[in-house]
């Protein structure tokens, strides 16, 4: 079996130093076009393929990007939105020759544990951080010198990419109002997710204001994105003397919990109560009735965040700090006109 070509055999074939070959491999723009062409011809002639390890050693990069999900692993790996974000990021990273290192919470009540391994030792070239909970740890990453792009919202001076949460919530509220609903119960998300939830509330309030309506205080409940919390919130909402004719939950998990409570307690769906969610998870198409929800195009969000980070590493900063991706309302069978519009 013949020996595999090395950096030095390519250098000898091209008539240059092995350092020059290394510079060509790593895209050094100080190499002249004529020299670069000779090296590339020699590489093709010898069928030389530089290893990822050699490229990383020569460039000083790991060619790995860290993806931080500051959530418990059980939640992170069962949440369609988060899984799709990682899928989109991985597609973009793979297409550009990078690997992915994923980190979740190590301790149930400590979001910062998802960041700690990156702060303590240099394992990656940059970070994609899903905002979720634990955004208070972002300054530690900045002080550690990591190029960082946030997936979601941040009050820090960092580039972020997020779906149009406000526009999605506006579309849901408009849809329910157009059907004739006037008492719309809301299942808000966890307070730790305040920036994303605030955007959804803005969209809801804007649609209601356009229709000269408001959300009464007694029709606003909080959940933690789980079906169990949506189940409990529906029970509280429907206990009022004048319960809502529609429930808008700020994620599909809570909406599915609300659907379950309503079904178990004899409510016809959607004739008695309409239900809408947010995230457009796979379950939205499987539940009966199928769930009206907002598609966040999560794969595209993850892909765009990775693209911005890799461009940043290549010296091409983004045009703006906040990058908003479109969202789309998906109307399904769980929403219908109320029995008597009021």
């Amino acid at each position: 079996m013949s020996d595999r070509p090395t950096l030095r055999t390519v250098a000898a074939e091209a008539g240059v130093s092995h350092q020059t070959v290394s510079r060509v491999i790593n895209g050094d723009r100080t190499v002249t076009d004529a020299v670069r062409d000779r090296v590339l011809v020699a590489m093709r002639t010898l069928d030389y393929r530089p290893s990822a390890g050699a490229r990383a050693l020569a460039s000083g990069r790991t060619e790995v990007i860290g993806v931080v999900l500051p959530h418990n692993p059980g939640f992170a790996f069962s949440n369609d939105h988060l899984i799709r974000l990682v899928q989109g990021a991985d597609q973009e990273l793979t297409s550009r020759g990078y690997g992915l290192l994923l980190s979740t919470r190590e301790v149930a009540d400590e979001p910062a544990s998802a960041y700690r391994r990156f702060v303590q030792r240099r394992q990656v070239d940059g970070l994609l951080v899903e905002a979720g909970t634990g955004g208070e740890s972002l300054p530690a990453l900045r002080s550690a010198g990591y190029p960082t792009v946030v997936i979601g919202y941040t009050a820090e001076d960092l580039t972020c990419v997020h779906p149009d949460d406000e526009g999605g919530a506006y579309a849901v509220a408009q849809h329910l109002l157009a059907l004739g609903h006037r008492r719309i119960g809301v299942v808000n998300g966890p307070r730790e997710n305040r920036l994303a939830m605030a955007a959804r509330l803005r969209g809801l309030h804007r649609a209601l204001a356009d229709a000269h309506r408001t959300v009464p205080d007694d029709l606003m409940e909080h959940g933690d994105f789980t079906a169990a919390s949506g189940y409990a919130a529906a029970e509280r909402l429907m206990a009022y003397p004048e319960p809502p004719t529609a429930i808008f939950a700020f994620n599909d998990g809570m909406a599915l919990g609300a659907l379950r409570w309503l079904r178990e307690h004899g409510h016809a769906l959607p004739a008695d109560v309409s239900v809408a969610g947010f995230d457009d998870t796979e379950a939205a198409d499987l539940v009966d009735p199928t769930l009206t929800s907002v598609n966040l195009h999560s794969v595209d969000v993850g892909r765009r965040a990775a693209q911005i980070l890799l461009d940043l590493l290549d010296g091409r900063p983004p045009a703006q700090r906040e990058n908003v991706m479109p969202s789309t309302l998906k109307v399904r069978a769980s929403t219908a006109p109320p029995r008597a519009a009021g």
Side-chain angles (χ1 to χ4, degrees):
M1 184 174 66
S2 60
D3 293 335
R4 293 180 60 185
T6 67
L7 206 68
R8 293 183 182 278
T9 54
V10 172
E13 177 75 16
V16 298
S17 69
H18 69 274
Q19 293 93 338
T20 298
V21 175
S22 178
R23 287 162 58 201
V24 171
I25 291 171
N26 289 285
D28 189 330
R29 296 178 183 177
T30 64
V31 179
T32 65
D33 290 341
V35 171
R36 180 179 293 105
D37 289 344
R38 280 161 50 200
V39 170
L40 293 176
V41 168
M43 289 171 64
R44 286 194 295 270
T45 300
L46 297 172
D47 194 25
Y48 174 75
R49 295 180 177 86
S51 68
R55 290 196 305 269
L57 183 63
S59 66
R61 291 186 179 183
T62 66
E63 297 196 336
V64 177
I65 296 299
V67 176
V68 179
L69 303 180
H71 305 276
N72 294 325
F75 178 81
F77 297 132
S78 64
N79 184 283
D80 278 9
H81 171 61
L82 295 178
I83 291 172
R84 290 173 183 175
L85 288 177
V86 175
Q87 177 187 351
D90 186 56
Q91 288 175 357
E92 181 65 23
L93 294 173
T94 299
S95 73
R96 293 174 64 171
Y98 277 76
L100 179 153
L101 181 62
L102 182 65
S103 179
T104 59
R105 281 195 197 185
E106 296 173 1
V107 183
D109 60 352
E110 190 183 359
S113 63
Y115 301 81
R116 189 171 295 121
R117 70 191 63 179
F118 294 125
V119 173
Q120 291 174 339
R121 54 191 184 271
R122 197 86 191 182
Q123 295 176 296
V124 297
D125 295 327
L127 292 173
L128 297 172
V129 181
E130 197 276 328
T133 57
E136 69 277 1
S137 297
L138 286 171
L141 296 177
R142 295 187 66 194
S143 64
Y146 281 104
T148 300
V149 172
V150 176
I151 303 177
Y153 297 79
T154 179
E156 296 292 319
D157 185 22
L158 290 168
T159 300
C160 65
V161 182
H162 61 76
D164 186 3
D165 291 279
E166 181 175 344
Y170 183 87
V172 172
Q174 271 199 324
H175 168 64
L176 295 174
L177 290 166
L179 290 173
H181 293 281
R182 296 299 178 262
R183 285 183 63 79
I184 301 172
V186 176
V187 186
N188 202 342
R191 290 175 173 84
E192 295 86 351
N193 219 291
R194 61 189 182 281
L195 296 178
M197 297 304 99
R200 295 179 192 184
L201 276 177
R202 284 196 303 271
L204 171 67
H205 289 152
R206 182 159 58 89
L208 292 170
D210 288 349
H212 307 290
R213 299 279 175 175
T214 59
V215 179
D217 291 340
D218 64 329
L219 293 183
M220 178 76 71
E221 295 289 342
H222 279 270
D224 62 4
F225 288 154
T226 64
S229 70
Y231 185 98
E235 181 175 21
R236 294 192 296 269
L237 287 169
M238 299 306 293
Y240 278 84
E242 190 180 353
T245 61
I247 294 176
F248 177 19
F250 279 6
N251 87 325
D252 282 1
M254 297 187 298
L256 295 174
L259 281 174
R260 180 183 169 190
W261 187 92
L262 292 166
R263 187 182 300 107
E264 288 181 0
H265 290 81
H267 294 278
L269 301 171
D272 292 338
V273 186
S274 288
V275 177
F278 215 96
D279 293 348
D280 194 31
T281 59
E282 183 178 349
D285 252 335
L286 302 176
V287 70
D288 183 22
T290 54
L291 181 65
T292 292
S293 188
V294 176
N295 190 311
L296 301 180
H297 303 287
S298 306
V299 171
D300 293 337
V301 173
R303 183 184 294 116
R304 178 59 180 150
Q307 182 184 68
I308 289 173
L309 179 59
L310 295 183
D311 286 349
L312 183 63
L313 290 174
D314 286 341
R316 299 190 297 275
Q320 61 271 337
R321 188 189 77 85
E322 186 173 18
N323 300 265
V324 183
M325 304 288 286
S327 58
T328 306
L329 175 64
K330 298 289 187 179
V331 176
R332 297 188 178 93
S334 67
T335 52
R339 290 191 188 277

